[in-house]
Amino acid sequence: SGTKIKVDLDSSTGIAVMRLQSPPVNSLSLDFLTEFAINMEKLEMDKSCRGLVITSALPKIFSAGLDILEMYGKSPEHCGEFWKAVQEMWLKLYSSNMVTIAAVNGSSPAGGCLMALACDYRIMAENPRYGIGLNETQLGIVAPFWFKDTMANTVGHRTTELALQLGLLYSAPDALRIGLVDQLVPEDQVVSTAMETMAKWFAIPDHARQITKSMMRKPTIDKMVSNREFDINNFVSFITRDSIQKFFRMYMESLRKRKA
Ligand code: CO8
C-alpha cells in the first residue's frame, strides 16, 4: 500500500480513521487519488467497518484541492486519466455505505471542499483563518456540474449560486453560518468530536440509513455517471487551452512568490 494516506480501522468500534499525509498540502494528485480509491474499496468491503472519519495529518491544511501539477503541461491523455480519478473519488465517497465524517482540521479550497462535501457530516476547526469553499472561478476555471450539485444539495441553490459565481472561500465561522460545515470545535477536538458524532449515527440501523442516503443522493450520482465521458472530454478540452495553461503557470509562480 501507499504512503500518502494512512488508514487505521478499529474493528471493535467499527470506525476507520483516514489520515491524509501528502506534504506539503495534501493536494489531490493521481497517485493520491489512486491510493484513496484502493483504501475506500477495502473499507467498503470490510464488514467490520461501519464508519469513516477523514482528517489531515498535516498542520493547517485539510487539502489544497486538485494537484495543479497534474493539469499543467500534461498530455490530454494524462488529463483525462487524472479527471477520471477525481470523478472516482467523488463517486466512492458520495455513494459510500459507511457513515462518512469529514474532520476538517485546516484549509480546504476547491477539490478539498468537494471531498468534505461528499461526506455525510462535516466538523471543522473553529480557526477563522481556515478557508473552505468552491473557489474555482477565482482561478478562472469552472466547478463542474457535479461539484455544483453536491454544494447545492448541502447549502441550497441560492447560496451555491453566490458562492460559485464569486468563487467564495468561507472562513470557518462563515462556513458554519451557511451550512457548508455542520459544527465548529477547537482544533484539538475535531477528530474526537467526529468519533463521538459517529456513535449517534451508529445508533440508526445501517440498512435504513443507507437506503435513505441513497434515496437522497442517487439522482445526483446517476446524473454524473451518465455524463461521465462528456465530463471528461469537457475537462480535457478546457484545461489544455493555452490561456488556462498560461494562467496555471502564473498561479504556481504567485504561490511560490508569496512565500519568498
Ligand atoms: N497543487 C499543487 N501544488 C500546490 C497546490 C495545488 N493545489 N497548492 C499549493 N501547492 C504547493 C505550492 O505551490 C507550494 O509549493 P512550493 O513549496 O514548491 O513553492 C507548496 O504547495 C506550499 O504551498 P503554500 O506555500 O501556498 O502553503 P500555505 O500553507 O501558505 O497555503 C494553501 C496553503 C492555502 C492550500 C495554498 O497553498 C493555496 O491556496 N493553494 C492553492 C489551492 C488551490 O487553488 N486549489 C485549487 C485547485 S483546482 C481544484 O481543486 C478544482 C478544480 C476543478 C476543475 C474544473 C476545471 C474545468
Side-chain angles (χ1 to χ4, degrees):
S1 76
T3 55
K4 295 178 189 303
I5 297 172
K6 187 169 178 290
V7 180
D8 289 305
L9 168 60
D10 182 340
S11 299
S12 65
T13 61
I15 303 173
V17 178
M18 183 183 273
R19 289 190 173 79
L20 315 180
Q21 48 173 31
S22 181
V25 292
N26 286 331
S27 64
L28 310 177
S29 63
L30 186 52
D31 285 348
F32 180 102
L33 293 167
T34 304
E35 229 181 271
F36 181 84
I38 290 168
N39 279 307
M40 283 300 286
E41 270 162 34
K42 271 195 209 146
L43 295 173
E44 209 71 60
M45 285 187 326
D46 191 328
K47 291 224 159 37
S48 72
C49 185
R50 296 175 65 199
L52 170 66
V53 173
I54 303 180
T55 194
S56 168
L58 309 181
K60 295 186 288 189
I61 291 158
F62 181 71
S63 167
L66 302 192
D67 193 320
I68 291 166
L69 298 174
E70 299 282 12
M71 309 183 274
Y72 174 65
K74 293 287 193 291
S75 68
E77 292 70 29
H78 181 91
C79 292
E81 195 194 345
F82 174 59
W83 194 247
K84 204 170 168 196
V86 178
Q87 292 177 330
E88 201 57 40
M89 173 198 77
W90 177 85
L91 274 172
K92 288 211 154 61
L93 208 45
Y94 207 55
S95 67
S96 175
N97 273 321
M98 298 181 281
V99 176
T100 54
I101 300 182
V104 185
N105 52 347
S107 285
S108 202
C113 177
L114 179 77
M115 190 186 247
L117 277 172
C119 293
D120 294 308
Y121 196 80
R122 284 155 290 284
I123 298 161
M124 189 168 183
E126 62 192 4
N127 190 337
R129 284 191 210 180
Y130 295 161
I132 183 167
L134 297 179
N135 59 325
E136 279 80 356
T137 55
Q138 287 208 33
L139 312 183
I141 57 181
V142 178
F145 68 91
W146 45 283
F147 284 50
K148 177 265 295 173
D149 289 343
T150 310
M151 175 97 170
N153 290 349
T154 309
V155 301
H157 189 96
R158 175 57 183 158
T159 302
T160 302
E161 186 171 49
L162 274 176
L164 261 62
Q165 289 198 56
L166 297 173
L168 298 178
L169 206 54
Y170 294 89
S171 71
D174 286 343
L176 178 67
R177 188 178 47 77
I178 67 160
L180 183 52
V181 299
D182 298 294
Q183 202 177 338
L184 297 187
V185 297
E187 184 146 1
D188 61 351
Q189 290 166 31
V190 176
V191 173
S192 59
T193 307
M195 303 304 255
E196 290 159 20
T197 304
M198 200 60 92
K200 221 169 23 182
W201 289 70
F202 279 5
I204 307 299
D206 278 334
H207 72 280
R209 182 190 52 75
Q210 287 160 354
I211 292 167
T212 303
K213 177 172 179 173
S214 167
M215 177 176 70
M216 295 297 295
R217 298 188 171 192
K218 196 173 181 294
T220 307
I221 291 165
D222 287 351
K223 185 173 151 197
M224 197 275 235
V225 169
S226 56
N227 290 290
R228 209 168 167 178
E229 284 307 314
F230 159 84
D231 185 56
I232 293 173
N233 293 336
N234 190 54
F235 171 79
V236 172
S237 68
F238 184 79
I239 220 73
T240 54
R241 279 185 204 167
D242 283 347
S243 57
I244 300 294
Q245 288 293 309
K246 202 174 141 199
F247 178 83
F248 277 149
R249 198 188 63 226
M250 282 158 49
Y251 186 63
M252 291 306 284
E253 275 167 17
S254 77
L255 282 177
R256 223 157 265 152
K257 273 199 200 101
R258 208 163 41 97
K259 202 159 46 179

